[in-house]
Amino acid sequence: MKAPRITKEELKGKLDAGAEVVLLDVRNPADYAASQVKIINAVRIPLDELEKRAGELDPVKEVAAYCT
């Protein structure tokens, strides 16, 4: 299943409009540590753990994932 893509401008528009969007950072620990990009209030679940940890996400809310 292919997930739709969203631009940062589209995401900002949703957030500014009050949409409840879960920001999900799926970068692996090494990539996260090496990056200067830290998303405040993001849920961090590395992609290789996502299937087993998906229950940590609110099934009602839209999820926007960040990866590199």
Side-chain angles (χ1 to χ4, degrees):
M1 178 177 175
K2 187 173 181 178
R5 293 189 177 263
I6 184 172
T7 66
K8 62 184 177 185
E9 292 80 17
E10 290 170 321
L11 177 58
K12 182 177 183 328
K14 285 179 179 259
L15 294 172
D16 288 348
E20 292 191 47
V21 179
V22 175
L23 301 175
L24 175 62
D25 188 335
V26 297
R27 294 177 287 175
N28 68 48
D31 288 342
Y32 181 82
S35 175
Q36 293 190 24
V37 175
K38 308 294 189 230
I39 304 169
I40 298 169
N41 298 323
V43 175
R44 291 202 54 246
I45 302 176
L47 187 57
D48 64 348
E49 298 177 18
L50 187 56
E51 187 173 348
K52 68 181 174 190
R53 294 181 56 193
E56 297 176 30
L57 300 172
D58 187 333
V60 177
K61 293 183 182 177
E62 182 176 5
V63 175
Y66 177 80
C67 61
T68 54

